[in-house]
Amino acid sequence: MISEEQRELVAAVRGLLTKRDARAGIRQVIDSDLGYDAALWNQLCEQVGVAALAIPEEYGGFGAGLVESLLVVGELGRTLVGVPMLGSAVLGAQAVLLSGDSDACERLLPEVAAGTRTLAVCWAAASGWDSFGVRADGATLSGTAHYVLDGTTADTLIVVTEDGLFEVDPTADGVERRRVATMDPTRALTEITFTGMAGRKLGSAEPGPLIERLRRIAWAAVAAEQVCAAEHCLESTVEYTKSRVQFGRPIGSFQALKHRMADMYVLLESAKSVSYAATIAVAEDSPSVAEDVWVARRHCSHAFSTIAAETIQLHGGIAITWEHDAHLFFKRAHGDSQLFGAPKRPIPQPA
């Protein structure tokens, strides 16, 4: 279970999102240049310090840890708010830390912690995250990174290659950014092309373990988001079935619908458990981390997709209108199931 301090953090984030009515503002920023509410992001960073949570104190952060950061990612998933928490404050910051490059940490992370600099991790090829979209010839980068979170407006690019990580200024010659259309309009993704331009190598850490660690953090973070988004779907469905009347009765009183919502609840609670286990395993880099993350990635994707689909069904025709949020959660569920790829089942180690 989470600690009292962590509960207070969750309450502070939820309170701010509620006060700003963040969910209602999603449609206003979907087609904006940023793709998110910059004022809300500033408030989250200044009032709650969300971007500083997993950054060590020596680099301007709070030094709290990954557990706290992933709890925030979850709360943001409850509202589908697309601020650069996952892409920049979690993945971007962790990539820089994992590189072991103290100079880069000192230059970049204090501003990331303050929310005044955003990072974008450039990784996947068109086929997904099992391949690298960009190749390195020495320090010269060529290729196209696909599905980049927060890539259109990021202040610094962190490019993942099979030879390690590179830091790139997105305004440099030889870098071209293009926002792409996505099934999930609440999450902006970018294609970034590098044409024979020079990057700055980050650290000398072995690429294989670094990249595997970054993958596991990404999968655990998505699982945390999926659980909280699914929880909102269930809560909204229960409330709707209490107020929607058919044949003179609230539809929530019908036994068949009670059974369906009970199944949604059981699925959600099991997803919560495996997601939190994965979060702890990733934060502690425990011996069981590969298995814990695999279970969370698989089960939370299934749970969110199933619960979002049931939300559509139990709301009826209203759920597929643009004005209702249900279809946005349904699209996020399908997008999240593909984001960062899917882990292979870990091979059991002999006792």
Side-chain angles (χ1 to χ4, degrees):
M1 296 295 292
I2 65 175
S3 68
E4 186 60 33
E5 291 80 6
Q6 290 167 341
R7 290 183 189 277
E8 291 176 359
L9 170 64
V10 169
V13 174
R14 189 177 301 185
L16 179 54
L17 294 174
T18 301
K19 182 179 179 181
R20 286 292 303 266
D21 198 9
R23 189 178 295 111
I26 292 173
R27 291 167 180 78
Q28 299 174 14
V29 298
I30 283 176
D31 295 322
S32 67
D33 291 338
L34 277 178
Y36 65 90
D37 184 343
L40 174 60
W41 177 238
N42 289 337
Q43 281 189 290
L44 285 165
C45 293
E46 293 173 2
Q47 297 181 20
V48 187
V50 298
L53 290 169
I55 295 177
E57 293 182 13
E58 61 187 296
Y59 301 127
F62 293 160
L66 275 172
V67 174
E68 288 75 11
S69 284
L70 268 55
L71 288 172
V72 173
V73 170
E75 280 304 305
L76 295 172
R78 190 184 300 275
T79 58
L80 302 184
V81 169
V83 293
M85 182 68 191
L86 174 58
S88 177
V90 175
L91 294 184
Q94 290 302 309
V96 175
L97 287 168
L98 288 170
S99 74
D101 191 318
S102 58
D103 177 67
C105 290
E106 291 171 0
R107 285 187 296 103
L108 302 176
L109 294 184
E111 292 181 359
V112 174
T116 55
R117 177 189 295 271
T118 57
L119 309 177
V121 177
C122 306
W123 183 337
S127 58
W129 283 264
D130 288 335
S131 302
F132 300 100
V134 181
R135 63 186 180 278
D137 182 7
T140 302
L141 304 177
S142 301
T144 300
H146 296 258
Y147 323 117
V148 180
L149 274 67
D150 310 314
T152 306
T153 57
D155 301 300
T156 302
L157 306 179
I158 307 298
V159 183
V160 182
T161 75
E162 63 180 349
D163 297 315
L165 305 184
F166 292 83
E167 175 190 344
V168 173
D169 179 355
T171 64
D173 292 339
V175 180
E176 181 181 354
R177 300 190 278 185
R178 183 175 72 88
R179 184 169 173 176
V180 297
T182 59
M183 179 179 64
D184 174 11
T186 64
R187 170 159 277 154
L189 299 178
T190 308
E191 286 182 3
I192 305 182
T193 298
F194 303 85
T195 307
M197 59 86 56
R200 180 187 181 278
K201 183 73 182 297
L202 292 180
S204 56
E206 185 67 26
L210 183 159
I211 292 167
E212 187 60 32
R213 170 76 174 155
L214 196 60
R215 285 179 190 271
R216 291 171 178 169
I217 292 171
W219 285 326
V222 172
E225 176 182 283
Q226 290 170 320
V227 164
C228 287
E231 186 172 45
H232 168 76
C233 288
L234 176 57
E235 291 170 351
S236 66
T237 301
V238 170
E239 287 302 311
Y240 178 75
T241 59
K242 289 179 180 179
S243 60
R244 177 72 168 93
V245 175
Q246 263 188 332
F247 308 112
R249 295 169 55 187
I251 63 174
S253 66
F254 298 137
Q255 193 71 15
L257 299 194
K258 287 182 179 180
H259 287 166
R260 291 173 71 170
M261 287 183 282
D263 289 342
M264 293 165 70
Y265 176 77
V266 171
L267 195 56
L268 173 63
E269 290 301 305
S270 60
K272 283 183 181 180
S273 296
V274 298
S275 171
Y276 191 63
T279 294
I280 295 297
V282 164
E284 298 177 352
D285 200 14
S286 69
S288 65
V289 63
E291 184 174 0
D292 290 333
V293 169
W294 183 85
V295 172
R297 179 65 173 141
R298 293 288 184 175
H299 187 58
C300 293
S301 292
H302 168 68
F304 186 19
S305 295
T306 301
I307 292 171
E310 283 289 84
T311 297
I312 297 280
Q313 291 291 317
L314 295 178
H315 275 78
I318 191 175
I320 59 173
T321 62
W322 175 249
E323 292 76 17
H324 201 279
D325 290 340
H327 73 97
L328 295 177
F329 281 89
F330 184 75
K331 292 170 181 174
R332 174 62 67 89
H334 284 273
D336 274 0
S337 69
Q338 303 299 317
L339 192 63
F340 305 121
K344 297 179 176 64
R345 184 164 190 149
I347 299 173
Q349 298 298 313

